[in-house]
Amino acid sequence: MATTKVIERKPLTFAEKTFLPQIATGLKTTFGNMLKKPITLQYPEERPVIPDNYRGVPTLVKDPNGREKCVSCQLCEFVCPPKAIRITPGEINAEAEPDRAHVEKAPQEFEINMLRCIYCGFCQEVCPEEAIYLQDVFSLSGYSREEMINKKDKLYELGGTLPDEHFKWDKKKAAELSGNPEH
Amino acid sequence: MSANGTSEMITINLDGREVEVPKGMNAIEAAKLHGKEIPHYCYHPKLSIAGNCRMCLIEMGMPMRDRGTGEPVLDEQGVQKIGWGPKPVIGCATDVSPGMHLRTDSESVKEARNGVTEFLLINHPLDCPICDQAGECRLQEFSADHGRGYSRFIEDKNVKPKRTVLGPRVTLDDERCILCSRCVRFSQEVAKDDVLGFVDRGTYSTLTCYPGKELANNYSLNTVDICPVGALTSTDFRFKMRVWFLKRTNSICTESSVGANTTVWSREGKIYRITPRRNDAVNDTWMTDSGRDLFKPFESDDRLTHYTVDGVHQSPEIAAKAAAELLRAGSVAVVGSAHSTVEEQFILEEIAKKTGASVSMVKHEGEGDGILLSEDRSPNLRGALLNGLISELPKGDLTLLAAQVDSGAVKTLLVVNEDLTQLGLTEAQLGQVKIIYLGAFANAVSQVAQVVLPSLSVFEKSGSFVNQNFRLQKFAAAVPGPRGLIAELGVLAMVEALLGEGNSQAPTIAQVWERIGQTEGVFAGLAWQKIPEEGLKLEAGSLAKLNFVESKNLKLDPAALEAAQALPA
Amino acid sequence: MTLFEAWLPVILPVIFALVMISVFMGMCAYAVLAERKICSYIQGRVGPNRTRLPLIGNVPILGDFLTGLGIFQPAADGLKFLFKEEITPGHVKLGYYYLAPIIALTPALTTMVVLPFGRYVDAAGVVQPLALANLDVGFLFILAISSLGVYGIVLAGWASNSKYPFLGAIRSSAQMISYELALGVSILPVFMWSAAPGSEYGMSLFGVVQAQETLWIGIWQPLSALIFLVAIFAETNRLPFDMAESETDLVGGFHTEYGAFKFGLFFVAEYAHIIMGSAIFVLLFAGGWHFLPGLADPWPAGPVGAVLSVLWFLAKIAFMIFFFIWIRWTLPRFRYDQVMSLGWKILLPLAVGNLVFNTLLIALIDAL
């Protein structure tokens, strides 16, 4: 059984019973607020400072050589909780693009449905190629549902280029060109 | 069952536990029998033992005996001592023997696996994001289970060709290859097309085709299936979809009467690939390449997608009513199909009985390859025989039916699948009769038919087939059919019900089986749920004496069967 | 010329009335702006600062400054109400539904007829009131007319034929009746003192103001002033007494089913009531146009003095309006039972006690 503990309340004084001193205190507080500087940001002209780890609209990025980093492994599609991502994998045409033929795979189509996206950042976390980033874009609008589905072009346009730290595919290409010298 | 066909059980000690296993079984299978996984790459239950991957290293010991006297050597407690081998042995090539002791998870075994994994990964590229094997890759799984988690290898990795075309359907990524030689052994032993082999030595060892040849046999895609890593890839499935998105559905290959067990891999109503499913009584773990492409025609444009009565789109109920109306007029002939399921043939037979129709069927034959492609290219001829839809083997054409049409004895035709213009009937003859056509594709018959009832593919409906060994095997729908279509079993059942007094509700497959189970013969007492996933061998009875076209193949030996039949007499 | 002179007594009041309504409605509009701005400042916001009129808004520094203050916002608000789509719900009682907002606004505008807003010392040195009509029973007139305002709300609630407006209207009528008692009783001592036998002004508001030339009544009758102030808050349906609107539990209260210009009328009526309430409070308790307590009026005789007195009176009203808004954004809303118990159990006995005490006091003074 739960025990009930009765807390004795201090009886109100006469002044407290009239509430008038409390009202006066309240008026003082609000008047003091009135004299403070407003904290409003004049939004379209003034923009908030976006922190580095902000999770904005998911975007696709290219490496410093302008190569698309995504290899359509579809892990983001798999991990996406609201199933906002839809990828059509494709093979890179070796004749048309000899420069990146060694990557072999790239998305034919990459769609992120921003009406579904919950900005959780799982896609960024899971990406083995560091190709998808939630960057600082936070305002997104459109006139139709179709417009709110970000296609591959839009995603690369939003994402731009981010510095690469690994150059995995460049190294791979170099190794492929040099081959095994002893062989 | 052990490899040599006996089932004599022996006792071994597996990780300190006394267990019973069949004599002659190897350690990997024996451990698997008792829930212990011994990781392996090169070992495959249906191929010879190569023992070159070294992943299945385990500790083995035998009870000690004195060499001179043969007396057991006892320890202080009076228990026989175990003579453990100084080094681990490979499980795949170690057949169990009575009293054998095995350790599959000791420290030394773990260390051995760890070392083997590290060596396998030395030159393995970090391709997982683009590798189609990712998700079903043994190397990926075992690296996670038994690997060290990071690399100590600071030298340059070996570079090998990434996109070698081995054949029309197989592409090789040599860097990923771990040289297990499963594909080489498969080509030699099962496909009997010995074109693959290793060249060069050490880390430069590379899988290649014999110069001037290619891996083009009709079983080449099985090498992709058995490849434990992503080295051999299917050119068709390459880079199409990650396997973890695909839904697996048990199905049966309809290419021939072998009835290979398959798995259909689909996502959101689209089939991406078909792979074999192990069934030692039917297809072991193999299937033909041609059988894997059978889903593609059903994605084409010439599929029938609407129920049609006199050229007008109708609902299935109205189409069934129109069909029943035509059938009631009498003088009906039914052209059945050995591609229909057992259930559809049963309902067709009921319709034939109610309308007094004669039933004919045509044979579909081709060249067999002696492995998993039989001469009879229909999946369910024996089902039609067991159902009583037909009583003798079908002929190649329908000249008898043509004569009946000419004489006016037949005024209404119920045709399943067949294009009659290819089978001895002229278009003029077709014009003399009313036709109800049931099939998946448009053809000359569907164009002149009064009632067209579109049917679903084997991937879109459930049902069962009886294969060359009289084995009843069921399959399930993997993907939905075209919009608005119901399984033809439902339509046929509606027609049948309209011919009698029943209501025209499309029954479930289990309800149809309740009726089939009440019939006399081999199906008596059977029910849909009672058909096991691995199939059910039926009694052939007198039908076995029929002169079936199949010759000897992987699981069928007509000569031996005949000998066995002759023996009791 | 003679014709014009003959018609002058008719034309002048009409012109005066029109001027007064214009000024009054202008004050209503800017009271709305004041409400928006002051609540923004209290909440650390900026408030309306975007609306800009073409010509004056383009004046280099002044235009930006006025725009920042939101000076042009009332015009935009007003136009918005005018041009919004006129929606009439299908389930309302049409005639009453349209009548309600008119009835709500009319009493507030009518009461200003008797409102003196300044004084004029003519050539003879006689102090004349500035008012459209200086009735001897001015305050009774105000009480009588302003009570009619509740009909607008009750009618709106009933004609809307919808539960939330109905609940709001019922609460509102009960509340108004409760507080009108306290309001009426609380000001009786004021008139008892100012309209003592022999006084020349009777119950006219001008007399009350004139009686405060040296000392504001609010200072020596604080209890009356407090009760009156609280009651006026309740009568105007302002927070913390806005039981009629009570948007947290009644959606929008009595005006839930109203939109566009009809809602605009209700909205203006609320601010008209605030201004009227402020004006009456200033007249009764805060000395009207008189300068500061204890100090003689500094304004001279003649038109200049008259204008100065009117401006001073307006300044006092402006402060009262600010006070109304200030209170609104400081105090939370009462619970309905608290509203009722405050009105019946506290304010009314207090007012009656105050009346008895003052009566006895006057009797005692008379007897001495």
Side-chain angles (χ1 to χ4, degrees), chain B residues 134-149:
Chain B
E136 53 180 11
C137 175
R138 307 306 278 167
L139 188 61
Q140 213 177 26
E141 289 163 14
F142 294 150
S143 298
D145 291 348
H146 310 295
R148 63 189 310 119

PDB file of all heavy atoms in Angstrom, chain B residues 134-149:
ATOM      1  N   ALA B 134      27.702  -9.574 -51.134  1.00  0.00           N
ATOM      2  CA  ALA B 134      27.529  -9.015 -49.795  1.00  0.00           C
ATOM      3  C   ALA B 134      26.149  -9.354 -49.271  1.00  0.00           C
ATOM      4  O   ALA B 134      25.153  -9.144 -49.940  1.00  0.00           O
ATOM      5  CB  ALA B 134      27.716  -7.501 -49.838  1.00  0.00           C
ATOM      6  N   GLY B 135      26.110  -9.902 -48.074  1.00  0.00           N
ATOM      7  CA  GLY B 135      24.836 -10.309 -47.511  1.00  0.00           C
ATOM      8  C   GLY B 135      24.658 -11.801 -47.543  1.00  0.00           C
ATOM      9  O   GLY B 135      23.957 -12.360 -46.717  1.00  0.00           O
ATOM     10  N   GLU B 136      25.266 -12.479 -48.508  1.00  0.00           N
ATOM     11  CA  GLU B 136      25.215 -13.942 -48.534  1.00  0.00           C
ATOM     12  C   GLU B 136      26.632 -14.485 -48.752  1.00  0.00           C
ATOM     13  O   GLU B 136      26.823 -15.531 -49.333  1.00  0.00           O
ATOM     14  CB  GLU B 136      24.258 -14.437 -49.619  1.00  0.00           C
ATOM     15  CG  GLU B 136      24.551 -13.863 -50.995  1.00  0.00           C
ATOM     16  CD  GLU B 136      23.580 -14.359 -52.061  1.00  0.00           C
ATOM     17  OE1 GLU B 136      22.571 -14.983 -51.716  1.00  0.00           O
ATOM     18  OE2 GLU B 136      23.850 -14.126 -53.250  1.00  0.00           O
ATOM     19  N   CYS B 137      27.630 -13.723 -48.295  1.00  0.00           N
ATOM     20  CA  CYS B 137      29.025 -14.060 -48.546  1.00  0.00           C
ATOM     21  C   CYS B 137      29.589 -14.800 -47.342  1.00  0.00           C
ATOM     22  O   CYS B 137      29.555 -14.312 -46.222  1.00  0.00           O
ATOM     23  CB  CYS B 137      29.807 -12.766 -48.794  1.00  0.00           C
ATOM     24  SG  CYS B 137      31.566 -12.981 -48.978  1.00  0.00           S
ATOM     25  N   ARG B 138      30.104 -16.001 -47.580  1.00  0.00           N
ATOM     26  CA  ARG B 138      30.659 -16.778 -46.474  1.00  0.00           C
ATOM     27  C   ARG B 138      31.876 -16.067 -45.891  1.00  0.00           C
ATOM     28  O   ARG B 138      32.098 -16.078 -44.688  1.00  0.00           O
ATOM     29  CB  ARG B 138      31.073 -18.175 -46.950  1.00  0.00           C
ATOM     30  CG  ARG B 138      30.009 -18.941 -47.677  1.00  0.00           C
ATOM     31  CD  ARG B 138      28.744 -19.060 -46.906  1.00  0.00           C
ATOM     32  NE  ARG B 138      28.777 -20.123 -45.922  1.00  0.00           N
ATOM     33  CZ  ARG B 138      27.869 -20.263 -44.962  1.00  0.00           C
ATOM     34  NH1 ARG B 138      26.902 -19.381 -44.859  1.00  0.00           N
ATOM     35  NH2 ARG B 138      27.943 -21.264 -44.112  1.00  0.00           N
ATOM     36  N   LEU B 139      32.671 -15.454 -46.761  1.00  0.00           N
ATOM     37  CA  LEU B 139      33.874 -14.768 -46.278  1.00  0.00           C
ATOM     38  C   LEU B 139      33.481 -13.611 -45.356  1.00  0.00           C
ATOM     39  O   LEU B 139      34.083 -13.390 -44.310  1.00  0.00           O
ATOM     40  CB  LEU B 139      34.689 -14.258 -47.469  1.00  0.00           C
ATOM     41  CG  LEU B 139      36.060 -13.689 -47.143  1.00  0.00           C
ATOM     42  CD1 LEU B 139      36.945 -14.743 -46.497  1.00  0.00           C
ATOM     43  CD2 LEU B 139      36.744 -13.165 -48.401  1.00  0.00           C
ATOM     44  N   GLN B 140      32.442 -12.886 -45.760  1.00  0.00           N
ATOM     45  CA  GLN B 140      31.955 -11.788 -44.931  1.00  0.00           C
ATOM     46  C   GLN B 140      31.490 -12.309 -43.571  1.00  0.00           C
ATOM     47  O   GLN B 140      31.853 -11.774 -42.524  1.00  0.00           O
ATOM     48  CB  GLN B 140      30.770 -11.127 -45.658  1.00  0.00           C
ATOM     49  CG  GLN B 140      30.634  -9.648 -45.437  1.00  0.00           C
ATOM     50  CD  GLN B 140      29.486  -9.070 -46.259  1.00  0.00           C
ATOM     51  OE1 GLN B 140      28.529  -9.759 -46.603  1.00  0.00           O
ATOM     52  NE2 GLN B 140      29.593  -7.797 -46.559  1.00  0.00           N
ATOM     53  N   GLU B 141      30.716 -13.382 -43.613  1.00  0.00           N
ATOM     54  CA  GLU B 141      30.169 -13.919 -42.370  1.00  0.00           C
ATOM     55  C   GLU B 141      31.279 -14.445 -41.463  1.00  0.00           C
ATOM     56  O   GLU B 141      31.331 -14.140 -40.277  1.00  0.00           O
ATOM     57  CB  GLU B 141      29.171 -15.037 -42.678  1.00  0.00           C
ATOM     58  CG  GLU B 141      27.889 -14.519 -43.295  1.00  0.00           C
ATOM     59  CD  GLU B 141      27.090 -15.621 -43.971  1.00  0.00           C
ATOM     60  OE1 GLU B 141      27.394 -16.813 -43.736  1.00  0.00           O
ATOM     61  OE2 GLU B 141      26.176 -15.280 -44.737  1.00  0.00           O
ATOM     62  N   PHE B 142      32.172 -15.239 -42.052  1.00  0.00           N
ATOM     63  CA  PHE B 142      33.199 -15.855 -41.211  1.00  0.00           C
ATOM     64  C   PHE B 142      34.239 -14.838 -40.771  1.00  0.00           C
ATOM     65  O   PHE B 142      34.874 -15.012 -39.720  1.00  0.00           O
ATOM     66  CB  PHE B 142      33.855 -17.029 -41.954  1.00  0.00           C
ATOM     67  CG  PHE B 142      32.915 -18.169 -42.203  1.00  0.00           C
ATOM     68  CD1 PHE B 142      33.057 -18.987 -43.304  1.00  0.00           C
ATOM     69  CD2 PHE B 142      31.874 -18.420 -41.321  1.00  0.00           C
ATOM     70  CE1 PHE B 142      32.180 -20.039 -43.530  1.00  0.00           C
ATOM     71  CE2 PHE B 142      30.994 -19.462 -41.537  1.00  0.00           C
ATOM     72  CZ  PHE B 142      31.138 -20.270 -42.642  1.00  0.00           C
ATOM     73  N   SER B 143      34.446 -13.777 -41.561  1.00  0.00           N
ATOM     74  CA  SER B 143      35.365 -12.744 -41.095  1.00  0.00           C
ATOM     75  C   SER B 143      34.796 -12.071 -39.863  1.00  0.00           C
ATOM     76  O   SER B 143      35.522 -11.724 -38.936  1.00  0.00           O
ATOM     77  CB  SER B 143      35.580 -11.690 -42.180  1.00  0.00           C
ATOM     78  OG  SER B 143      36.168 -12.287 -43.299  1.00  0.00           O
ATOM     79  N   ALA B 144      33.471 -11.879 -39.878  1.00  0.00           N
ATOM     80  CA  ALA B 144      32.846 -11.277 -38.704  1.00  0.00           C
ATOM     81  C   ALA B 144      32.891 -12.230 -37.524  1.00  0.00           C
ATOM     82  O   ALA B 144      33.151 -11.835 -36.383  1.00  0.00           O
ATOM     83  CB  ALA B 144      31.405 -10.889 -39.029  1.00  0.00           C
ATOM     84  N   ASP B 145      32.679 -13.536 -37.789  1.00  0.00           N
ATOM     85  CA  ASP B 145      32.625 -14.512 -36.695  1.00  0.00           C
ATOM     86  C   ASP B 145      34.018 -14.892 -36.186  1.00  0.00           C
ATOM     87  O   ASP B 145      34.221 -15.055 -34.993  1.00  0.00           O
ATOM     88  CB  ASP B 145      31.913 -15.796 -37.166  1.00  0.00           C
ATOM     89  CG  ASP B 145      30.436 -15.563 -37.411  1.00  0.00           C
ATOM     90  OD1 ASP B 145      29.961 -14.481 -36.999  1.00  0.00           O
ATOM     91  OD2 ASP B 145      29.783 -16.425 -38.007  1.00  0.00           O
ATOM     92  N   HIS B 146      34.942 -15.081 -37.085  1.00  0.00           N
ATOM     93  CA  HIS B 146      36.225 -15.653 -36.695  1.00  0.00           C
ATOM     94  C   HIS B 146      37.415 -14.764 -37.006  1.00  0.00           C
ATOM     95  O   HIS B 146      38.545 -15.129 -36.700  1.00  0.00           O
ATOM     96  CB  HIS B 146      36.415 -17.001 -37.399  1.00  0.00           C
ATOM     97  CG  HIS B 146      35.238 -17.917 -37.267  1.00  0.00           C
ATOM     98  ND1 HIS B 146      34.856 -18.422 -36.050  1.00  0.00           N
ATOM     99  CD2 HIS B 146      34.355 -18.394 -38.174  1.00  0.00           C
ATOM    100  CE1 HIS B 146      33.775 -19.178 -36.224  1.00  0.00           C
ATOM    101  NE2 HIS B 146      33.456 -19.172 -37.504  1.00  0.00           N
ATOM    102  N   GLY B 147      37.193 -13.627 -37.661  1.00  0.00           N
ATOM    103  CA  GLY B 147      38.329 -12.768 -38.026  1.00  0.00           C
ATOM    104  C   GLY B 147      38.778 -11.909 -36.860  1.00  0.00           C
ATOM    105  O   GLY B 147      38.161 -11.890 -35.794  1.00  0.00           O
ATOM    106  N   ARG B 148      39.862 -11.172 -37.091  1.00  0.00           N
ATOM    107  CA  ARG B 148      40.405 -10.376 -35.992  1.00  0.00           C
ATOM    108  C   ARG B 148      39.821  -8.968 -35.988  1.00  0.00           C
ATOM    109  O   ARG B 148      39.971  -8.237 -35.020  1.00  0.00           O
ATOM    110  CB  ARG B 148      41.917 -10.337 -36.062  1.00  0.00           C
ATOM    111  CG  ARG B 148      42.472  -9.679 -37.310  1.00  0.00           C
ATOM    112  CD  ARG B 148      43.975  -9.871 -37.402  1.00  0.00           C
ATOM    113  NE  ARG B 148      44.652  -9.509 -36.165  1.00  0.00           N
ATOM    114  CZ  ARG B 148      45.369 -10.349 -35.427  1.00  0.00           C
ATOM    115  NH1 ARG B 148      45.496 -11.589 -35.815  1.00  0.00           N
ATOM    116  NH2 ARG B 148      45.943  -9.952 -34.335  1.00  0.00           N
ATOM    117  N   GLY B 149      39.192  -8.550 -37.081  1.00  0.00           N
ATOM    118  CA  GLY B 149      38.497  -7.259 -37.084  1.00  0.00           C
ATOM    119  C   GLY B 149      39.314  -6.127 -37.648  1.00  0.00           C
ATOM    120  O   GLY B 149      38.783  -5.071 -37.951  1.00  0.00           O
TER     121      GLY B 149
END
